[in-house]
Amino acid sequence: MDDEPGKGPTLFTRRQLVLGTVVAGSIAAMPRINSETSHAAMPINPNASSATLLNAPIELAGDWGRMLEGAATQVIKRMRRSCLTDVRLVSDRQPARVRVDSHTSGQPAIWLHPDGSSVAWIIVDIGERDWSKLAYQFGHELGHVFANSWQADAKPAAPCQWLEEAMVEAFSLRGLGRLAEDWRKHPPFVGDNAFGDAIAQYCQNIVRAYATLADGQDLTRDAAAWFADNWGAIEIPGLNPFAQAMSVTILAEYDQNPDCIEALGALNRWRGRSGIPVAEYLQRWKESCAELQTSPHLPLRLGELLGVVTP
């Protein structure tokens, strides 16, 4: 975006992702919203307060083409529930509103608008009724919001931004898998149960591509050696190929220890955020978990995998 230096917004998490074989997941016909399930099939987290990321109002902005009014909102809300239901929301920096802005070009991002508002502004770039891609992109950026990376001071920085990218990518893939299952049982659009299979295939294609990367990089053989041998390329900010590979390992951790996901809400609550050495980053994260009374399992596990000794 061309803004006057120092006054315009900042785009966060410009992602470079080429998967080649990923299923588009678009619906050719104009959908009809299923009124029986339009309020989402999964229950609201009973522990959620009146102002959390799970129930903050969602508003649309930008160019959504000729989509049926309300259709995109239904998909976004369903993906949010798939990502956050049964996850304890511990952050003290949750937005009051979530804005999803559809652009016709560019990368998905968080718009770090310096106006002091409490709006988490998510940018997506999808085709018309491309529900799988919408859910996937939204889930990744929602992960950044969940990890407290939505306010004006949340600019990404090396050397640890790659780790957040890997964690929120795994967060989105976990959400996609849950969304696929829910869509098969309770589709938001009438008679559209089978599209749950398309979402599942979309997710599987991404995971398969990342697993191939992980094998080729020797991450699956020895994560600590992988990190020591490739740290210069690994620490390039963004969802780089090493972050993509690591996301599969983190996804497995989410599946095996679902409670550890809540620790994302304790991220980035310290000066320097991702711009500090990884040992200090993990130590600050553990301290933040203690402050919010959240399990430190995830930072401990990542430190163990990467062979990082915290101070």
Side-chain angles (χ1 to χ4, degrees):
M1 293 189 175
D2 297 325
D3 296 287
E4 184 178 346
K7 294 186 178 180
T10 302
L11 286 176
F12 179 46
T13 67
R14 294 184 180 276
R15 302 162 60 205
Q16 299 177 346
L17 176 60
V18 180
L19 298 175
T21 59
V22 171
V23 177
S26 60
I27 300 177
M30 190 72 79
R32 182 160 60 92
I33 293 176
N34 187 343
S35 61
E36 295 181 358
T37 62
S38 61
H39 295 292
M42 291 185 288
I44 292 177
N45 186 339
N47 296 322
S49 69
S50 59
T52 71
L53 185 57
L54 179 60
N55 57 25
I58 290 176
E59 58 189 44
L60 300 188
D63 183 2
W64 292 91
R66 295 172 295 175
M67 295 188 196
L68 180 67
E69 182 179 0
T73 302
Q74 289 299 325
V75 175
I76 290 167
K77 287 183 176 180
R78 189 67 67 89
M79 181 59 173
R80 177 171 67 170
R81 290 183 181 279
S82 296
C83 290
L84 294 176
T85 295
D86 299 327
V87 175
R88 195 164 65 100
L89 303 177
V90 300
S91 174
D92 51 3
R93 304 181 183 187
Q94 298 184 52
R97 288 182 293 145
V98 176
R99 179 174 298 164
V100 185
D101 191 349
S102 179
H103 288 194
T104 56
S105 63
Q107 297 290 334
I110 296 292
W111 199 346
L112 303 181
H113 48 295
D115 61 0
S117 72
S118 57
V119 177
W121 196 325
I122 292 173
I123 295 173
V124 297
D125 175 17
I126 63 167
E128 283 196 18
R129 299 184 295 279
D130 196 347
W131 305 134
S132 296
K133 190 174 182 181
L134 172 59
Y136 165 61
Q137 290 186 3
F138 171 75
H140 180 101
E141 305 308 330
L142 181 70
H144 283 300
V145 178
F146 183 33
N148 302 309
S149 291
W150 61 275
Q151 294 175 306
D153 63 348
K155 295 180 180 179
C160 293
Q161 183 60 35
W162 74 274
L163 195 51
E164 180 178 332
E165 294 292 340
M167 288 187 286
V168 303
E169 184 71 353
F171 175 82
S172 181
L173 293 172
R174 173 183 175 273
L176 269 183
R178 290 159 61 95
L179 176 65
E181 182 179 354
D182 182 50
W183 200 296
R184 292 187 188 107
K185 298 176 181 178
H186 310 285
F189 310 123
V190 175
D192 198 35
N193 304 68
F195 190 67
D197 294 334
I199 298 172
Q201 186 63 54
Y202 186 97
C203 181
Q204 290 165 12
N205 286 344
I206 297 174
V207 172
R208 189 178 300 115
Y210 289 172
T212 299
L213 281 175
D215 289 341
Q217 296 168 7
D218 279 343
L219 168 58
T220 51
R221 182 181 59 84
D222 187 335
W226 167 86
F227 183 61
D229 293 343
N230 300 287
W231 65 268
I234 288 173
E235 292 177 353
I236 295 174
L239 189 63
N240 63 56
F242 295 96
Q244 292 172 0
M246 188 63 183
S247 70
V248 179
T249 298
I250 295 173
L251 178 61
E253 199 64 38
Y254 290 167
D255 290 340
Q256 294 167 14
N257 300 281
D259 290 345
C260 78
I261 299 171
E262 68 183 39
L264 292 181
L267 274 171
N268 300 312
R269 297 175 64 253
W270 52 84
R271 186 183 299 275
R273 298 175 55 85
S274 63
I276 58 179
V278 64
E280 184 179 355
Y281 177 87
L282 293 175
Q283 179 60 29
R284 295 284 185 88
W285 188 9
K286 289 187 290 184
E287 293 169 359
S288 181
C289 286
E291 290 175 9
L292 297 179
Q293 299 182 351
T294 300
S295 169
H297 173 85
L298 190 54
L300 287 169
R301 177 59 176 153
L302 290 173
E304 178 185 3
L305 283 169
L306 299 177
V308 175
V309 178
T310 57

